[in-house]
Amino acid sequence: MALCTLCPRQCNTDRESAVGYCGQQDGIRVARIAPHFFEEPPISGTRGSGTVFFCGCSLACVFCQNKDISRSRNNGELLSDAELYARILALLESGVHNLNLVTPTHFVHRLAPILERLKASGDLRVPVVYNTSGYERVETLRRLDGLVDIYLPDFKYFSSELSARYSSAPDYKDVATAALAEMLSQRGRYRYSEDGELLESGVVVRHLVLPSHRKDSIRVLGHIAATFGTDDLLLSLMSQYTPDFALDTPYPELHRRVTSFEYSSVCKEAELLGFDGFFQSRSSASSEFTPDFK
Ligand code: SF4
């Protein structure tokens, strides 16, 4: 590939010979391919979401719960395009409800042709989920138009000070807003299956409430509601923050779980603003729900 500008870092790395900010070279490196049961209910369903967890990440938050794979350069398995295609087919044959690409941004140049081939083959009879940090370039998302059915982006921060401190991305809010606009323009209003059990198409915005920062969460929700309204997208409000992955950071405010008060105050704001979607049980704040990548 040419010098890489796939994600908003636009670090212009020659990934044939060097590693980008995302920690990856050109070859697709995958940490786990398996049914996963801890996504939102209409995505996990009863048979699981068909997840492909990619190694590397262009955002690299200090509290990431998947650090084993997002920050390590050599974990996981290097797969050719043909091998990944075959593994995806095997995953689909297991009966999963969708194909869920987790942290795929830095491999879109390889994934888009694979998705095109899958769609053309008739073997892909379930929705494709694009599961992302929300830190996306609009130009890259446009490459996925017609290939992705459900966008599952995070919207992590309103404050540029917070996004700079925890993710080295002071432009996060503006970038994520433009990305969300593109996702909504591609998919439109969300749509469920006829029986109402599974999501077939649309955009689900995830927001993880961080300890000590409930006011930023409330500003995130207000910003999304004011910019996009609350009718077309679903909100997934997450309480699953676990401090285990941030204990080695110099941010003591992240060294604890989110309190019930913090989470419930954000939930109340979501209800007041009229969001539809998903709240998480407080018992989800456990590293047990993080897949084992070893
Ligand atoms: S995807 Fe990786 S290599 Fe490409 S611009 Fe982003 S951080 Fe750099």
Side-chain angles (χ1 to χ4, degrees):
M1 70 187 300
L3 303 183
C4 185
T5 57
L6 276 176
C7 85
R9 301 282 180 200
Q10 297 193 65
C11 66
N12 280 303
T13 299
D14 175 1
R15 289 172 60 183
E16 298 282 354
S17 57
V19 172
Y21 184 97
C22 54
Q24 294 299 302
Q25 289 195 251
D26 190 38
I28 296 181
R29 192 172 280 280
V30 168
R32 187 170 193 264
I33 301 180
H36 186 55
F37 294 88
F38 301 123
E39 306 287 28
E40 288 75 3
I43 293 178
S44 288
T46 53
R47 299 195 301 272
S49 176
T51 46
V52 180
F53 284 87
F54 294 96
C55 296
C57 179
S58 54
L59 192 56
C61 308
V62 296
F63 50 81
C64 177
Q65 63 180 4
N66 291 341
K67 267 183 191 167
D68 277 355
I69 61 167
S70 66
R71 304 295 273 278
S72 166
R73 290 180 180 176
N74 299 315
N75 279 353
E77 201 178 347
L78 204 52
L79 297 180
S80 68
D81 294 6
E83 287 168 330
L84 179 60
Y85 189 93
R87 298 276 290 274
I88 287 174
L89 280 187
L91 179 66
L92 295 175
E93 278 165 18
S94 74
V96 291
H97 294 295
N98 43 60
L99 171 62
N100 186 347
L101 307 172
V102 186
T103 322
T105 314
H106 44 291
F107 293 124
V108 162
H109 62 305
R110 308 287 292 268
L111 291 173
I114 290 174
L115 291 176
E116 278 164 358
R117 215 180 121 205
L118 273 169
K119 290 236 168 190
S121 73
D123 290 326
L124 187 60
R125 288 182 289 271
V126 292
V128 174
V129 182
Y130 188 84
N131 189 333
T132 163
S133 68
Y135 198 55
E136 295 279 351
R137 286 190 74 199
V138 168
E139 294 81 352
T140 299
L141 291 174
R142 286 193 181 132
R143 181 74 182 85
L144 297 165
D145 196 0
L147 299 175
V148 167
D149 302 284
I150 299 168
Y151 281 105
L152 192 52
D154 294 339
F155 204 115
K156 291 175 181 287
Y157 313 99
F158 182 88
S159 153
S160 59
E161 189 198 331
L162 286 190
S163 61
R165 189 188 310 160
Y166 299 145
S167 299
S168 304
D171 57 351
Y172 179 87
K173 183 194 76 173
D174 293 339
V175 168
T177 302
L180 186 48
E182 173 62 23
M183 293 172 192
L184 280 164
S185 87
Q186 285 184 24
R187 299 316 313 161
R189 192 169 197 271
Y190 61 88
R191 191 182 73 237
Y192 281 94
S193 55
E194 269 181 27
D195 61 8
E197 295 293 320
L198 295 169
L199 198 60
E200 287 187 340
S201 173
V203 180
V204 182
V205 179
R206 284 177 165 171
H207 176 72
L208 175 69
V209 180
L210 294 175
S212 317
H213 296 306
R214 71 181 183 91
K215 287 184 180 163
D216 196 68
S217 294
I218 287 169
R219 291 173 83 192
V220 165
L221 299 189
H223 171 68
I224 294 172
T227 310
F228 302 106
T230 56
D231 289 343
D232 290 348
L233 53 81
L234 292 166
L235 175 71
S236 177
L237 204 48
M238 308 173 88
S239 64
Q240 71 181 45
Y241 175 83
T242 59
D244 314 31
F245 307 97
L247 295 176
D248 59 349
T249 69
Y251 306 115
E253 70 275 18
L254 296 180
H255 295 179
R256 66 166 173 83
R257 294 187 196 286
V258 171
T259 65
S260 295
F261 166 72
E262 286 172 321
Y263 185 60
S264 64
S265 68
V266 182
C267 290
K268 270 185 202 146
E269 185 69 15
E271 287 181 36
L272 275 175
L273 289 167
F275 281 105
D276 196 357
F278 317 95
F279 294 164
Q280 230 176 6
S281 141
R282 297 277 293 122
S283 61
S284 307
S286 162
S287 49
E288 279 170 38
F289 294 97
T290 305
D292 184 2
F293 295 108
K294 297 198 177 65

